[in-house]
Amino acid sequence: MVQVLRNVLGAWKTTRIRHCGLLAVDVASSGQWDSEQFVRARATLFESLRTAFEDSGVPWRACRTSDRGDGMVVVVPQRFPVHRLAYPLLDRLSAQLRHHNRYARSPLRVRVALHAGTVHIDRYGATGYAKVLLARLLESPPVRGALADAPESCPVAAIVSNTFYDDVVRNGYPGIELERYVPVDVHVKESSVRGWVHVPGYVSSDAERRLRSV
């Protein structure tokens, strides 16, 4: 027991605390696939992610990634502008998947969650409440519903945390369409938070009402 405590204390002392951009992605309806479809779709998603990051000026190799089986969590170092996750990355990812879906027997559609916050990085990877919130947003009914309601030509539905919205989206960075982010209430497990849903390339009825109110 003493040695275990020493190991825990030692791990804590070597933990690095960083404020990072966070992205999580998950494939919709992957449970319906067989193993061959799953492997191909996963490879397509990861390659599309890599390309979208590179095209957005965020080097893929500089990021810390963790595999979720049918998805991934990406921790972006604080030296890269976090607004690039909202634009152009979401649009680049959507374009990559649209191109793939034109020729695929099983179209690939994904949910994406974005957040920015403090993470603790140790020898096991990145952890902390920011990653927990990211997971809650990704699994929430509002973003699932947004993807289900969007036309097949829109392969990405994104949800951003309220923090990300306040710090990034509403600040008017080039390319980010503020009015297309729709506020939603997220209730998952013990979390009740505000999020903002956006579907690149599609204006939902809620987003249209926001556009008219401007």
Side-chain angles (χ1 to χ4, degrees), residues 6 11 15 50 59 62-63 78 85 90 116 120 127 139 145 189 197:
R6 286 176 178 171
T15 297
R50 185 195 66 78
C63 300
Q78 60 188 35
L85 297 181
L90 288 177
H120 299 258
T127 188
E139 297 300 328
K189 294 185 177 179
V197 168

Side-chain angles (χ1 to χ4, degrees), residues 10-210:
W12 176 253
K13 289 179 181 178
T14 60
T15 297
R16 291 170 292 154
I17 301 175
R18 298 287 186 270
H19 190 278
C20 301
L22 296 165
L23 177 147
V25 60
D26 196 35
V27 176
S29 304
S30 60
Q32 302 174 7
W33 298 340
D34 59 31
S35 295
E36 182 180 352
Q37 289 174 306
F38 193 89
V39 169
R40 289 181 178 179
R42 185 169 174 271
T44 298
L45 173 61
F46 290 177
E47 181 59 25
S48 297
L49 272 174
R50 185 195 66 78
T51 301
F53 269 83
E54 294 288 346
D55 288 351
S56 301
V58 182
W60 184 245
R61 68 179 61 185
C63 300
R64 183 179 295 269
T65 62
S66 55
D67 187 354
R68 300 181 69 247
D70 59 351
M72 179 176 284
V73 174
V74 184
V75 179
V76 180
Q78 60 188 35
R79 65 180 181 272
F80 297 107
V82 71
H83 66 81
R84 292 180 184 172
L85 297 181
Y87 184 85
L89 192 143
L90 288 177
D91 287 67
R92 295 288 191 273
L93 178 60
S94 185
Q96 288 286 324
L97 295 181
R98 272 200 309 272
H99 177 74
H100 164 77
N101 289 346
R102 289 174 189 165
Y103 310 100
R105 288 184 301 171
S106 302
L108 188 59
R109 307 185 81 209
V110 302
R111 304 186 310 278
V112 176
L114 297 177
H115 182 43
T118 301
V119 296
H120 299 258
I121 302 173
D122 58 20
R123 59 184 174 178
Y124 304 110
T127 188
Y129 175 72
K131 282 192 68 177
V132 174
L133 176 59
L134 187 75
R136 299 287 188 264
L137 292 170
L138 186 67
E139 297 300 328
S140 67
V143 71
R144 289 178 179 274
L147 186 61
D149 292 342
E152 291 292 329
S153 59
C154 297
V156 175
I159 184 169
V160 308
S161 68
N162 201 50
T163 298
F164 192 96
Y165 180 84
D166 284 342
D167 293 347
V168 177
V169 175
R170 69 182 302 175
N171 279 323
Y173 291 104
I176 298 178
E177 299 176 291
L178 170 66
E179 297 80 12
R180 296 197 179 198
Y181 284 77
V182 177
V184 294
D185 292 321
V186 175
H187 305 287
V188 179
K189 294 185 177 179
E190 68 277 9
S191 299
S192 294
V193 297
R194 169 58 58 92
W196 298 77
V197 168
H198 170 54
V199 179
Y202 174 63
V203 180
S204 67
S205 57
D206 289 335
E208 187 175 1
R209 282 191 288 271
R210 280 176 56 80

